[in-house]
Amino acid sequence: TFIGSILSAVNPYKFIDGIYGLDLMQMYMKKQLGDLPPHIYAIANEVYDSMWRMRENQCVLISGESGAGKTESTKFILSYLSAMSQQACPSGKFAVEEAILQSSPILESFGNAKTVYNNNSSRFGKFILLTFANEGNIVGGQITDYLLEKNRVVRQNPQERNFHIFYALIAGAT
């Protein structure tokens, strides 16, 4: 549900067909917040639209407890902004958007681990800065990570695992 420009979302802990994707993105594009039912794409659209309407930087804060869906929400917002960027760039050069979207699994492997509550729990925070051209397309991005749970490298709590990257390296070596 919306609380002003705040979206309160719940992680269903399973994939639900039909609530994300290009068709739904297009439905929310260029709509005012509140015109359609609450959705992460509505927030992403509001951010993109406000950036151009007010000519000011915009910020999205994604917060919640472990397993709340913060990582997935970030991916949905980035996917939406990437789609808007691609529409704004008629030349067909989408390398920056693709690089940003494809960096997520790499970051996750180095910073996510299995915990008691979540099989893919982020053990770090990240700040993502996107730079847009005057035409509305993404021309750059920077991802800064912070607060990495470094003690996990040498010790894990019972029933928890190390960062995913260690298991990927071991699997690759065999």
Side-chain angles (χ1 to χ4, degrees), residues 33-164:
L33 193 63
D35 285 352
L36 294 171
H39 197 282
I40 193 83
Y41 294 155
I43 296 296
N45 183 67
E46 180 68 13
V47 167
Y48 188 81
D49 183 59
S50 294
M51 182 173 55
W52 299 117
R53 193 170 12 93
M54 295 193 282
R55 296 286 181 195
E56 292 180 354
N57 293 335
Q58 299 296 306
C59 176
V60 177
L61 176 65
I62 299 174
S63 179
E65 294 183 2
S66 180
K70 298 176 296 294
T71 299
E72 294 303 313
S73 293
T74 300
K75 290 179 196 175
F76 291 131
I77 290 208
L78 288 174
S79 293
Y80 186 93
L81 294 175
S82 175
M84 291 299 286
S85 175
Q86 291 173 18
Q87 281 193 351
C89 182
S91 67
K93 296 180 181 176
F94 310 129
V96 175
E97 295 92 329
E98 288 304 314
I100 291 168
L101 291 174
Q102 291 176 9
S103 69
S104 188
I106 297 166
L107 280 174
E108 287 182 26
S109 70
F110 280 94
N112 289 19
K114 180 182 185 285
T115 66
V116 174
Y117 302 108
N118 185 344
N119 287 339
N120 194 35
S121 181
S122 297
R123 310 316 300 156
F124 68 105
K126 63 185 167 219
F127 177 79
I128 303 171
L129 175 67
L130 299 177
T131 306
F132 289 82
N134 289 333
E135 294 78 23
N137 58 304
I138 298 172
V139 293
Q142 179 181 348
I143 301 172
T144 305
D145 63 275
Y146 57 96
L147 298 175
L148 181 66
E149 189 182 74
K150 295 175 185 168
N151 64 328
R152 183 170 291 276
V153 173
V154 294
R155 183 180 164 277
Q156 300 85 45
N157 290 327
Q159 299 179 339
E160 294 192 356
R161 293 178 59 173
N162 210 321
F163 295 109
H164 297 323

